[in-house]
């Protein structure tokens, strides 16, 4: 007997499911505890505090992308091009890129610790990415502090006040 097949196209995915969001938060909280209590042996992670801002999971919950922001002393976000070879990038020790690379090197260790603390059928593979939202927010704050933008905002508020009267 044949199964009925629906020929109507499925709607495009609108975002993560509740299950993905719930599991992502569970993993984020567990990672925060692990990073707080464990002494990671990677040289890039010594004396560096890391904030896990978000964890996004694939629909099958097997892979997790962890967005992190390194904090604390020694963090230098500046990346310079080497003078000898412009195509090479010199990354300063303690920069977010170095910290994220260190986290990706210890990802298997973190996954092992994570498997002991969370109650899920599978412990997801971890991939760490620098969270750029902090840089974007700082850029927007600098834009709003610009005198030209301030002038436009004052004009806009005058127009809105006139409409309210």
């Amino acid at each position: 007997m044949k199964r009925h097949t629906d020929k109507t196209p499925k709607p495009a995915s609108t975002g993560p499911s509740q299950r993905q969001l719930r599991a992502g938060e569970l993993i984020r909280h567990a990672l925060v505890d692990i990073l707080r209590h464990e002494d990671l042996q990677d040289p890039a992670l010594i004396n560096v505090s890391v904030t896990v801002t978000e964890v996004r999971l694939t629909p099958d919950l097997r892979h997790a992308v962890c967005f992190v922001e390194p904090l604390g002393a020694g963090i230098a976000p500046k990346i310079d091009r080497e003078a000898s070879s412009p195509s090479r990038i010199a990354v300063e020790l303690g920069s977010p890129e170095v910290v994220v690379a260190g986290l990706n090197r210890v990802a298997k260790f973190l996954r092992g610790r994570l498997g002991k603390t969370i109650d899920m059928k599978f412990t997801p593979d971890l991939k760490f990415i620098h969270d750029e939202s902090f840089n974007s927010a700082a850029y927007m704050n600098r834009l709003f502090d610009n005198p030209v933008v301030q002038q436009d905002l004052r004009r806009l508020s005058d127009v809105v006040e006139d409409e309210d009267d």
Side-chain angles (χ1 to χ4, degrees):
M1 187 172 195
K2 273 186 157 180
R3 286 188 165 184
H4 174 70
T5 56
D6 190 11
K7 300 292 183 188
T8 58
K10 293 182 181 178
S13 178
T14 58
S17 67
Q18 285 295 318
R19 182 175 176 225
Q20 287 171 279
L21 294 172
R22 203 169 42 244
E25 279 299 301
L26 174 74
I27 291 170
R28 187 179 72 82
H29 286 284
L31 274 175
V32 167
D33 286 339
I34 292 168
L35 290 171
R36 185 176 354 169
H37 296 295
E38 291 292 331
D39 289 327
L40 302 175
Q41 299 301 316
D42 195 281
L45 302 175
I46 295 174
N47 296 328
V48 174
S49 178
V50 178
T51 299
V52 182
T53 56
E54 183 182 1
V55 175
R56 293 183 190 167
L57 286 158
T58 57
D60 62 356
L61 306 181
R62 297 277 181 127
H63 302 281
V65 176
C66 307
F67 292 90
V68 295
E69 177 66 26
L71 303 171
I75 301 300
K78 188 177 180 184
I79 298 174
D80 292 325
R81 299 223 178 257
E82 289 184 6
S84 60
S85 176
S87 63
R88 294 181 101 188
I89 295 176
V91 179
E92 296 179 25
L93 186 63
S95 70
E97 290 76 16
V98 172
V99 173
V100 169
L103 285 169
N104 282 318
R105 283 191 295 272
V106 298
K108 288 186 180 182
F109 170 78
L110 293 172
R111 182 178 184 240
R113 290 285 192 254
L114 189 63
K116 295 176 184 176
T117 59
I118 62 172
D119 187 27
M120 290 177 63
K121 187 174 182 178
F122 300 103
T123 304
D125 293 327
L126 302 174
K127 180 181 179 185
F128 293 93
I129 296 178
H130 181 240
D131 189 356
E132 297 293 333
S133 64
F134 291 97
N135 295 342
S136 299
Y139 175 72
M140 284 191 281
N141 282 336
R142 283 193 307 272
L143 280 178
F144 283 128
D145 291 339
N146 185 338
V148 175
V149 175
Q150 287 289 329
Q151 181 181 0
D152 289 342
L153 288 174
R154 278 192 294 268
R155 283 188 207 150
L156 182 63
S157 67
D158 292 341
V159 170
V160 170
E161 287 175 6
D162 290 343
E163 288 178 359
D164 288 343
D165 291 336

